Amino acid sequence: CNYIIASEMKAGTKLGKLMDKQRAIHTEEKSTSTQTYVKSVRKGIPKKIVKTFKPITVCGAYSTGNSVSHELMDFLRVFQPLAEKSLVGKKDRQRKFAYADQNHNGYASLAEIEVYIKYSLTSAFPKIKAKDLFLRFRKCFIKAFQRAKSLHDAEGDGQLNGTTCEEYVTFSEFRLFNAYLCIYAAMLDAFSQINATSDRIDFGEFKSSYSYVQNYGFVALSSITNDNQAIDCFNELDIDGSSQISYSEWCNYIIEAEVKAGTELGKLM
């Protein structure tokens, strides 16, 4: 095209004159546009708008970083308010726990908890999006459930002793269940940033992608700043020596780092 147009212009044909006029108009518009853009920048309009998330804080213990996904933020917006010590939060928990406690016996099983989570997401989002969020974070439900139900330790020995209340979540544990749900969801979201297609992360995946999870709000992940540290971290994570990291190993490592650092999240967990 450029060669043909240049030939027409060189020959002084009507087509060449027409295309030369169009080029002049385009050049003038480009110049005007550039001047307008420069003036806009001078007036304080940012050259490039970078979208960032307003952090969500759970129980004053965990705050999201800028690396988290849109899906995690949507998930936390539903369940974080239920984890807070407030009058509004308590009333909402009473209503939601009544929905979870299908048998009205004061106990919520894992199956009932899943019904509650699905109901909460469906109430907040369109059906398809609610389903996607439910499936995306489903793996963390049982983690939060197991940690919350273990809070009831009537014998004081730190062990589950098979009593009914130790196999279910009660209303007194429901607030922290929602807190744990948010935190384990954040751990799962970080895990999925490295490998979203399987249940395990191998060394190659971890080494090439650890930078994706540095800004997630977790001490263990933010401390990885180079490949050597990534190697050491992977070896510590790979507790069973399988050369792969499971979601359970991932969660345990993050929690232990928070406890060791004495953070508010470590205290909560």
Side-chain angles (χ1 to χ4, degrees):
C1 292
N2 292 337
Y3 177 76
I4 292 174
I5 292 170
S7 298
E8 296 291 337
M9 291 170 61
K10 186 176 181 181
T13 66
K14 290 183 178 181
L15 176 58
K17 294 176 182 177
L18 176 65
M19 300 306 288
D20 188 43
K21 180 184 285 189
Q22 290 295 327
R23 185 180 66 170
I25 293 172
H26 177 70
T27 302
E28 183 179 351
E29 288 177 345
K30 185 175 180 181
S31 175
T32 302
S33 176
T34 301
Q35 291 173 4
T36 303
Y37 176 75
V38 171
K39 289 179 182 178
S40 296
V41 172
R42 288 172 181 171
K43 288 179 181 179
I45 298 176
K47 184 176 181 181
K48 182 179 180 182
I49 298 174
V50 179
K51 186 175 181 180
T52 57
F53 295 120
K54 181 180 179 180
I56 293 178
T57 301
V58 181
C59 293
Y62 169 73
S63 294
T64 54
N66 289 333
S67 297
V68 304
S69 69
H70 290 271
E71 291 80 6
L72 176 66
M73 296 299 285
D74 287 338
F75 190 83
L76 296 190
R77 288 188 187 102
V78 175
F79 298 103
Q80 177 268 340
L82 291 154
E84 304 306 318
K85 290 182 177 180
S86 66
L87 183 59
V88 174
K90 184 176 181 178
K91 289 182 176 179
D92 202 13
R93 283 194 299 276
Q94 289 172 334
R95 181 170 59 86
K96 293 292 180 66
F97 187 80
Y99 188 89
D101 181 17
Q102 298 286 310
N103 297 326
H104 306 292
N105 59 1
Y107 302 116
S109 66
L110 178 59
E112 289 174 322
I113 285 294
E114 288 201 346
V115 170
Y116 145 71
I117 294 172
K118 186 177 293 185
Y119 165 74
S120 298
L121 292 171
T122 305
S123 299
F125 302 108
K127 187 175 181 179
I128 294 177
K129 181 172 183 178
K131 182 179 179 181
D132 289 344
L133 288 173
F134 180 86
L135 295 176
R136 180 185 180 94
F137 294 105
R138 191 173 191 178
K139 190 184 295 183
C140 76
F141 300 169
I142 190 170
K143 290 283 188 185
F145 179 81
Q146 289 175 334
R147 184 166 286 270
K149 75 175 186 177
S150 67
L151 293 173
H152 190 97
D153 180 22
E155 289 76 10
D157 57 7
Q159 302 293 323
L160 294 180
N161 299 289
T163 57
T164 300
C165 52
E166 290 178 340
E167 298 304 319
Y168 298 87
V169 167
T170 62
F171 180 73
S172 63
E173 299 159 338
F174 192 55
R175 183 183 71 82
L176 284 179
F177 164 77
N178 284 280
Y180 297 148
L181 182 64
C182 293
I183 294 164
Y184 278 110
M187 294 183 201
L188 179 58
D189 195 62
F191 187 90
S192 299
Q193 289 278 15
I194 298 177
N195 188 339
T197 59
S198 72
D199 294 334
R200 290 182 174 271
I201 297 172
D202 62 36
F203 177 70
E205 292 169 331
F206 187 76
K207 186 177 179 181
S208 63
S209 305
Y210 68 83
S211 60
Y212 298 162
V213 298
Q214 287 174 316
N215 193 6
Y216 249 85
F218 295 119
V219 170
L221 304 181
S222 62
S223 62
I224 310 171
T225 59
N226 57 57
D227 289 353
N228 289 332
Q229 290 178 341
I231 294 172
D232 293 337
C233 180
F234 184 88
N235 291 332
E236 291 178 15
L237 275 160
D238 184 22
I239 297 173
D240 61 4
S242 63
S243 298
Q244 292 182 320
I245 303 168
S246 68
Y247 174 55
S248 292
E249 289 174 325
W250 179 262
C251 293
N252 291 338
Y253 181 78
I254 291 174
I255 293 170
E256 287 173 7
E258 298 289 339
V259 172
K260 186 176 180 180
T263 65
E264 291 301 315
L265 178 56
K267 295 174 185 176
L268 179 66
M269 301 302 287

